[in-house]
Amino acid sequence: GGTVLAARADQDMHLLRQDIAQRYEDGTVSFLGIMAVKDGLARLRTLNMAHVRLHTWSLRDYLASALLSMRHSNGAAVAE
């Protein structure tokens, strides 16, 4: 999986995948996770999507706040 079709360590060479969907795949797809899809979709049908949206935004806000507060060892911001 991943974005690179081929790479060589002895040369400065790499080939990206041509298919745009594969190019943005971040690794090997979890074939074991496919077993949870049916149950996951069933669970989503029972949820109030407005609550899911609010929870998702709260997670985003928490992550943004945490990233903005992080510093490298030299004091530089991790994220802007």
Side-chain angles (χ1 to χ4, degrees), residues 17-73:
R17 294 188 182 274
Q18 294 302 308
D19 183 288
I20 194 71
Q22 289 180 342
R23 187 174 286 187
Y24 288 103
E25 174 60 48
D26 61 355
T28 303
V29 177
S30 170
F31 64 91
L32 295 175
I34 197 72
M35 296 184 306
V37 170
K38 182 179 176 183
D39 292 333
L41 291 174
R43 177 72 174 135
L44 279 175
R45 285 189 210 94
T46 69
L47 299 175
N48 178 325
M49 292 312 286
H51 290 149
V52 172
R53 183 172 33 258
L54 287 173
H55 182 66
T56 302
W57 283 104
S58 70
L59 291 174
R60 181 213 56 157
D61 292 343
Y62 172 79
L63 176 62
S65 176
L67 287 172
L68 290 172
S69 70
M70 290 179 171
R71 297 281 180 254
H72 289 284
S73 61

